[in-house]
């Protein structure tokens, strides 16, 4: 079992920045690739970014490329999502997730085994 707890969400104006954190406990954090997903009201959960166990492989949704950066600190068992130039359409609940296939950064919801409870991000116009 891996327990994931997100933090760092909040209300921000368009053009602003937030950094989300996801703290992991339980199994060895470096055994997992990590991903960030988001879900807006009335919409399906969608991929945002992912990172392999070493940080050597990353992947981003087209909608966030150049604005968001995923990173991880295996010594702290934490993965981060730095979000810059935020837009109202980034408003959603953001979830982190852990994938046993640690070597690659995957984008499908179905490939992730463990999920956090989510943190709300609201971007006002």
């Amino acid at each position: 079992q891996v327990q994931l707890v997100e933090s760092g969400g909040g209300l921000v104006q368009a053009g602003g920045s937030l950094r989300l954190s996801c703290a992991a406990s339980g199994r060895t954090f470096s055994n997992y690739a990590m991903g960030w997903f988001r879900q807006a009201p009335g919409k399906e959960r969608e991929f945002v970014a992912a990172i392999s166990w070493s940080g050597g492989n990353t992947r981003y949704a087209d909608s966030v490329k150049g604005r968001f950066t995923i990173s991880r600190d295996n010594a702290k068992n934490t993965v981060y999502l730095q979000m810059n130039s935020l837009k109202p359409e980034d408003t959603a609940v953001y979830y982190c997730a852990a994938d046993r296939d640690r070597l690659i950064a995957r984008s499908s919801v179905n490939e992730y085994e463990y999920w956090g409870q989510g943190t709300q991000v609201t971007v006002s116009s």
Side-chain angles (χ1 to χ4, degrees), residues 1-68:
Q1 285 281 351
V2 176
Q3 291 78 43
L4 302 172
V5 179
E6 303 95 337
S7 62
L11 174 63
V12 64
Q13 289 189 333
S17 298
L18 283 175
R19 188 174 84 153
L20 305 183
S21 299
C22 173
S25 61
R27 299 280 179 87
T28 303
F29 181 65
S30 60
N31 283 348
Y32 296 85
M34 298 297 296
W36 285 98
F37 293 78
R38 67 187 181 187
Q39 188 166 16
K43 295 188 176 181
E44 292 190 353
R45 193 167 297 189
E46 67 174 8
F47 170 73
V48 176
I51 188 167
S52 63
W53 76 277
S54 66
N57 292 312
T58 57
R59 178 178 292 191
Y60 296 92
D62 288 343
S63 59
V64 307
K65 274 181 187 175
R67 300 189 298 122
F68 291 10

Side-chain angles (χ1 to χ4, degrees), residues 37-114:
F37 293 78
R38 67 187 181 187
Q39 188 166 16
K43 295 188 176 181
E44 292 190 353
R45 193 167 297 189
E46 67 174 8
F47 170 73
V48 176
I51 188 167
S52 63
W53 76 277
S54 66
N57 292 312
T58 57
R59 178 178 292 191
Y60 296 92
D62 288 343
S63 59
V64 307
K65 274 181 187 175
R67 300 189 298 122
F68 291 10
T69 303
I70 190 171
S71 62
R72 65 189 295 161
D73 185 337
N74 288 341
K76 295 183 178 180
N77 292 347
T78 302
V79 61
Y80 305 97
L81 185 68
Q82 178 66 44
M83 306 187 295
N84 298 330
S85 302
L86 282 161
K87 305 175 181 180
E89 51 264 43
D90 295 317
T91 295
V93 177
Y94 282 70
Y95 299 90
C96 70
D99 177 6
R100 281 191 178 186
D101 193 338
R102 66 174 190 159
L103 297 180
I104 55 177
R106 301 198 286 186
S107 61
S108 172
V109 169
N110 295 330
E111 291 162 337
Y112 285 78
E113 184 171 3
Y114 300 105

